[in-house]
């Protein structure tokens, strides 16, 4: 999709929208300032939208990212994929513009306008030059407030997503990842893929997409982060001009309970005629708001999230040659996340690779980390 790329695994693992936004902007716009010195100004508009703003004049660009607190975790049962489909259709036509007119307008000013869903939220992002900000905000607000959900575009986009789901059936990583996600979360709303199922997408009608948009896309359910070459006064004027008509409607707040931990170890074998085994193992992890989030991030870098410098890669791939790839990851969602270890190895060495991974985790739990590992991990993440 031009403005709504399908979320990848990297989008779904261990990132939140604000952490990603700030990390990207801090890296590109300030290499000398400490992250702790870059503090967003926060306020709440009369309509209830939270605004986070960093004024930065070193580049002639503006980056906006709007977060709607409704992702695949609120998809209705039997209509999994609703949040993702709504996001994918925002640029496919509004009440005043066709999808082609939207694309041409974005291309003409050299801007980027994208949308996508994750388990906890939907995000709409705009990158635009300062001189073209009014045009960019006009397009941004038009997609947000006035999507028309044309039936022909719904059918086309749905077929694209269905085609992608069919293609993933031949991808061992995708098959293992989805099976693992369902095992970990069980009947919890996080259990299904963001893009839904081949059987659920056809059940999502145009009326249901319109209802989803009207119910969740409201200012009191939104957070807007803005970084760039403008002042707060300029931003407030823009918000009044382009989002001033955005009104709240009656809405019940979605409640997502923490996912339950499995009561006993579970193993699922998907038998395919392959010489290579794709393995995923793990358990329920932490929520994003957990006070140990940063400590867990450093620990995970040392265990298996730090590429070639991590223990799992060094022991299982480099020293023993047991895996083509191996990693660990925490995916801290709002209501509770997951911890996983993934590896690819020959079928004949699968059991040994699993044992080595478990032993590596156990050793880290018992012995802790070295001072050098700790310093290197913190330096890299900072």
């Amino acid at each position: 999709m031009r403005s709504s790329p399908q979320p990848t695994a990297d989008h779904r693992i261990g990132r939140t929208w604000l952490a990603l936004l700030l990390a990207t902007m801090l890296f590109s716009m300030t290499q000398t300032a400490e992250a702790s010195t870059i503090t967003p100004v926060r306020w709440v508009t009369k309509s209830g939208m939270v605004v986070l703003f960093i004024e930065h004049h070193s580049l002639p660009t503006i980056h906006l990212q709007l977060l709607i607190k409704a992702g695949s975790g609120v998809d209705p049962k039997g209509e999994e994929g609703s949040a993702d489909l709504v996001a994918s259709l925002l640029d496919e036509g509004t009440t005043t513009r066709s999808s082609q007119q939207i694309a041409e307008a974005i291309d003409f000013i050299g801007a980027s306008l994208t949308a996508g869903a994750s388990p906890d939220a939907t995000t709409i992002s705009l990158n635009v030059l300062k001189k073209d900000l009014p045009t960019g905000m006009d397009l941004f607000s038009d997609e947000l407030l006035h999507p028309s959900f044309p039936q022909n575009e719904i059918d086309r986009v749905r077929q694209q997503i269905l085609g992608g789901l069919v293609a993933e059936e031949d991808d061992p990583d995708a098959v293992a990842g989805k099976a693992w996600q369902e095992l970990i979360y069980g009947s919890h709303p996080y259990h299904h893929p963001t893009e839904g199922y081949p059987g659920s997408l056809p059940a999502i009608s145009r009326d249901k997409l319109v209802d989803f948009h009207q119910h969740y896309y409201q200012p009191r359910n939104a957070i807007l982060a803005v970084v760039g070459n403008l002042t707060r006064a300029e931003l407030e004027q823009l918000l009044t001009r382009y989002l001033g008509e955005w009104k709240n409607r009656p809405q019940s707040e979605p409640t997502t309970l923490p996912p339950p931990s499995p009561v006993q170890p579970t193993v699922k074998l998907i038998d395919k005629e392959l010489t290579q085994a794709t393995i995923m193992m793990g358990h329920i992890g932490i929520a994003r708001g957990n006070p140990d989030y940063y400590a867990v991030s450093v620990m995970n870098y040392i265990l298996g999230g730090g590429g070639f410098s991590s223990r799992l890669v060094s022991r299982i791939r480099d020293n023993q040659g047991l895996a083509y790839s191996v990693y660990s990851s925490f995916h801290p969602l709002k209501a509770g996340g997951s911890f996983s270890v993934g590896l690819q190895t020959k079928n004949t060495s699968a059991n040994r690779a699993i044992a080595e991974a478990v032993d590596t985790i156990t050793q880290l739990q018992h012995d802790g980390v070295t001072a050098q590992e700790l310093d290197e991990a913190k330096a890299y993440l900072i």
Side-chain angles (χ1 to χ4, degrees):
M1 289 296 296
R2 178 181 59 259
S3 298
S4 305
Q6 293 299 303
T8 64
D10 286 341
H11 292 151
R12 295 194 292 264
I13 296 178
R15 297 289 196 276
T16 65
W17 71 278
L18 182 56
L20 180 59
L21 168 65
L22 293 180
T24 302
M25 287 305 176
L26 290 172
F27 181 79
S28 63
M29 293 196 279
T30 174
Q31 298 181 10
T32 57
E34 292 290 337
S36 60
T37 66
I38 307 298
T39 304
V41 178
R42 182 187 186 278
W43 71 91
V44 180
T45 66
K46 291 181 179 179
S47 61
M49 180 176 67
V50 175
V51 181
L52 303 171
F53 174 55
I54 296 177
E55 184 174 341
H56 207 297
H57 299 286
S58 64
L59 291 174
T61 57
I62 311 294
H63 179 85
L64 297 91
Q65 189 166 49
L66 181 75
L67 179 144
I68 302 293
K69 292 182 280 186
S72 60
V74 298
D75 286 346
K77 187 174 180 58
E79 298 168 19
E80 291 84 0
S82 293
D84 183 63
L85 189 55
V86 169
S88 298
L89 288 162
L90 293 179
D91 70 333
E92 299 298 346
T94 68
T95 55
T96 58
R97 293 181 173 97
S98 66
S99 59
Q100 182 175 348
Q101 289 173 323
I102 293 172
E104 290 174 350
I106 294 171
D107 290 343
F108 184 76
I109 62 174
S112 170
L113 182 55
T114 62
S118 66
D120 282 329
T122 297
T123 54
I124 307 172
S125 300
L126 171 68
N127 284 290
V128 65
L129 291 171
K130 172 68 178 290
K131 67 181 183 65
D132 297 314
L133 183 56
T135 302
M137 283 297 297
D138 185 39
L139 293 165
F140 176 90
S141 61
D142 196 24
E143 286 192 13
L144 171 66
L145 304 182
H146 310 124
S148 57
F149 301 106
Q151 187 61 54
N152 63 317
E153 300 290 3
I154 294 174
D155 296 338
R156 181 181 60 82
V157 171
R158 179 162 35 209
Q159 283 304 122
Q160 287 182 340
I161 298 174
L162 287 170
L165 293 175
V166 172
E168 286 183 344
E169 294 176 1
D170 294 324
D171 182 347
D173 279 339
V175 172
K178 290 180 179 180
W180 181 83
Q181 184 177 349
E182 292 183 350
L183 283 176
I184 284 292
Y185 291 118
S187 60
H188 190 271
Y190 288 156
H191 85 281
H192 68 269
T194 301
E195 61 270 27
Y197 298 114
S200 65
L201 286 168
I204 306 171
S205 67
R206 180 184 180 278
D207 288 344
K208 291 176 179 177
L209 293 172
V210 172
D211 289 344
F212 189 100
H213 178 268
Q214 291 182 346
H215 185 78
Y216 292 111
Y217 282 58
Q218 302 193 44
R220 66 184 174 198
N221 202 35
I223 302 172
L224 178 68
V226 183
V227 180
N229 183 24
L230 76 169
T231 65
R232 173 172 175 171
E234 289 176 310
L235 176 58
E236 289 181 331
Q237 290 176 358
L238 287 166
L239 296 182
T240 299
R241 178 179 178 183
Y242 293 103
L243 297 181
E245 66 174 277
W246 196 15
K247 306 299 182 183
N248 290 302
R249 291 174 295 276
Q251 175 198 32
S252 58
E253 293 293 331
T255 301
T256 304
L257 299 174
S261 296
V263 295
Q264 60 184 8
T266 304
V267 177
K268 182 173 183 178
L269 174 64
I270 301 174
D271 194 3
K272 291 183 176 289
E273 294 185 3
L274 300 171
T275 59
Q276 178 175 300
T278 298
I279 300 163
M280 288 196 68
M281 55 186 180
H283 51 70
I284 294 296
I286 63 170
R288 178 59 181 85
N290 191 299
D292 289 333
Y293 170 76
Y294 292 103
V296 167
S297 299
V298 175
M299 180 274 292
N300 182 66
Y301 180 90
I302 296 169
L303 174 62
F308 292 107
S309 64
S310 68
R311 289 192 182 186
L312 286 172
V313 173
S314 177
R315 176 172 176 173
I316 297 175
R317 182 182 184 275
D318 296 343
N319 295 342
Q320 300 188 42
L322 288 176
Y324 307 107
S325 68
V326 59
Y327 64 89
S328 68
S329 177
F330 278 86
H331 186 196
L333 299 172
K334 182 179 179 181
S338 61
F339 164 72
S340 63
V341 170
L343 57 90
Q344 290 181 323
T345 185
K346 295 178 181 179
N347 290 338
T348 54
S349 56
N351 288 333
R352 184 182 170 194
I354 292 171
E356 292 290 339
V358 172
D359 190 59
T360 303
I361 295 170
T362 303
Q363 186 179 56
L364 180 64
Q365 290 174 322
H366 290 171
D367 300 337
V369 303
T370 67
Q372 181 178 350
E373 286 177 321
L374 183 61
D375 290 343
E376 289 178 353
K378 290 195 291 186
Y380 175 84
L381 294 172
I382 291 172

